[in-house]
Amino acid sequence: MIVDSALYRDGVRVPLDCTIDDLSRLRAECDETNEFVWIGLHEPTEAELERVAAIFNLHPLAVEDALMAHQRPKLERYPDSTFLVLKTLWYVDETDAVETGEINVFTGRDFVVTVRHGKGAELHTARLMLEQRAAVLSHGPSAVSYAVCDRVVDEYLKVAGELEIDVDEVEASVFSEEETDETERIYILKRELAEVRRAVLPLREPMNRAATGAVAGMPMDAAPYFRDVADHLGRVAEAIDTLDSLLSSAFEAQTARISLQLSKVSAQQNEDMRKISAGAALVLVPTLIAGIYGMNFDHMPELHWFFGYPFALVLMAGVSLYLYLRFKRSGWL
């Protein structure tokens, strides 16, 4: 749907007696060099976007990308327009998740068309703030591109701040005295950092080009504004790299703690097995002696000896005592 449409002259919104959908008339009103049109769309249908493309002569390939969404951040130059793709991010604290959307920006000599997908980074606030800064808005369509980029990158900073809080919580849990397992949460956070990285890193090259005035169709006096955006984008990239490194260290510490716990369990099991084996040996030897002398054969040695029974008892006790002392000395008991 078409969210808003307006004509700007010398950085000031011009009130027009036309509906928000009357794009042809709005386009016809823009006939001076210091004027431009800004059309804002949110998840338009194919028919709506084709209608806008026909009025502003947008390139079919860029229109297809804007309709399908799920594009990689990029900046492309076509004969009559520039096409910029931005990934929008917002953070869901309940699930430690980073959700993504997309904004596509078409800019020409006298028009800007923004196509937004998803709930993140609404542009109405950016439009109102830009309308209060006539000096910036007087730069034309490039000012709108700057405002959109600045709005999106500011959200990146907020997301990075939320992720930093989560990483601090993971570190505190991993290095606490309590035995906790943060492996799953570490994996989730690293996956979300990868999502942020996919939005941030491809955008750095287009912003650096805009910051140096290397983008055709963007005036050089707009470059300082894009340098500010590029600086913020660099801060986000550095923060994400740092957080990813901290999570890797926390994961290694968590793995070492788990390995240590398993080693302790294994050592305790070995200790228990030694005690069980020693106890079994103490029972086995007397049982063996009793079993042999209880077979009741007539021609067994010492079978009718008067001291045979006391001797068997003493033998059992002596061997058992010997084994007990050896096991005790070796630490098995």
Side-chain angles (χ1 to χ4, degrees):
M1 60 177 294
I2 299 176
V3 178
D4 199 358
S5 58
L7 173 67
Y8 297 91
R9 179 182 299 125
D10 293 326
V12 179
R13 184 166 183 159
V14 179
L16 295 175
D17 185 19
C18 60
T19 65
I20 193 172
D21 293 331
D22 197 357
L23 301 183
S24 298
R25 181 179 175 186
L26 192 65
R27 175 69 164 161
E29 291 285 345
C30 185
D31 56 0
E32 298 183 16
T33 57
N34 59 342
E35 295 180 340
F36 74 93
V37 175
W38 181 1
I39 309 299
L41 300 95
H42 179 235
E43 297 183 353
T45 64
E46 183 176 358
E48 288 174 333
L49 192 55
E50 287 181 352
R51 175 188 169 203
V52 174
I55 294 174
F56 293 96
N57 193 29
L58 305 180
H59 197 279
L61 292 178
V63 172
E64 181 181 356
D65 287 345
L67 182 63
M68 298 299 294
H70 304 294
Q71 301 297 313
R72 186 174 183 270
K74 60 183 178 179
L75 176 63
E76 296 181 343
R77 178 64 185 173
Y78 293 99
D80 298 322
S81 63
T82 301
F83 179 58
L84 174 64
V85 177
L86 304 164
K87 301 294 288 186
T88 59
L89 304 175
W90 66 96
Y91 186 76
V92 182
D93 188 57
E94 292 78 9
T95 56
D96 290 342
V98 177
E99 300 293 338
T100 63
E102 185 173 313
I103 295 178
N104 303 279
V105 184
F106 298 87
T107 56
R109 181 187 60 82
D110 56 357
F111 70 86
V112 179
V113 176
T114 55
V115 182
R116 186 167 62 90
H117 296 272
K119 298 184 296 183
E122 53 82 23
L123 298 180
H124 180 68
T125 303
R127 185 189 286 263
L128 293 179
M129 292 179 61
L130 195 58
E131 288 176 355
Q132 296 174 2
R133 303 172 63 185
V136 177
L137 195 55
S138 64
H139 290 289
S142 60
V144 177
S145 295
Y146 154 72
V148 173
C149 293
D150 187 59
R151 175 82 172 86
V152 170
V153 174
D154 282 347
E155 291 299 314
Y156 290 174
L157 289 169
K158 293 180 182 179
V159 170
E162 294 290 344
L163 289 172
E164 184 176 358
I165 294 174
D166 286 341
V167 172
D168 289 342
E169 291 176 354
V170 168
E171 283 188 309
S173 178
V174 168
F175 295 104
S176 66
E177 295 182 357
E178 298 180 2
E179 294 185 0
T180 58
D181 187 359
E182 295 288 343
T183 305
E184 182 179 358
R185 193 179 185 192
I186 290 173
Y187 169 76
I188 292 174
L189 287 174
K190 286 184 75 70
R191 184 182 62 188
E192 301 311 315
L193 287 174
E195 192 72 52
V196 177
R197 188 178 284 109
R198 282 193 290 270
V200 172
L201 296 188
L203 189 60
R204 298 188 70 180
E205 189 271 336
M207 288 300 99
N208 288 332
R209 287 169 54 194
T212 57
V215 179
M218 289 188 179
M220 280 296 300
D221 53 2
Y225 297 99
F226 285 99
R227 280 200 295 271
D228 181 66
V229 176
D231 177 66
H232 291 175
L233 198 61
R235 286 168 51 193
V236 176
E238 292 174 0
I240 295 304
D241 288 340
T242 301
L243 293 177
D244 189 63
S245 177
L246 290 175
L247 280 178
S248 296
S249 299
F251 180 75
E252 292 175 358
Q254 180 74 72
T255 303
R257 168 178 282 189
I258 293 175
S259 298
L260 180 59
Q261 292 173 349
L262 292 176
S263 299
K264 290 181 178 179
V265 171
S266 179
Q268 184 62 45
Q269 289 176 341
N270 291 336
E271 182 71 19
D272 293 341
M273 287 302 298
R274 286 198 298 266
K275 291 180 179 180
I276 292 172
S277 299
L282 292 176
V283 175
L284 178 62
V285 172
T287 303
L288 177 63
I289 297 173
I292 292 175
Y293 278 91
M295 290 190 291
N296 297 324
F297 288 102
D298 289 335
H299 301 289
M300 289 181 63
E302 312 300 341
L303 184 62
H304 300 288
W305 184 33
F306 181 79
F307 296 104
Y309 179 67
F311 175 76
L313 294 179
V314 171
L315 181 61
M316 292 179 190
V319 174
S320 298
L321 179 61
Y322 172 76
L323 291 175
Y324 175 80
L325 293 176
R326 290 298 301 267
F327 287 141
K328 194 71 175 177
R329 183 177 300 176
S330 62
W332 282 42
L333 287 174

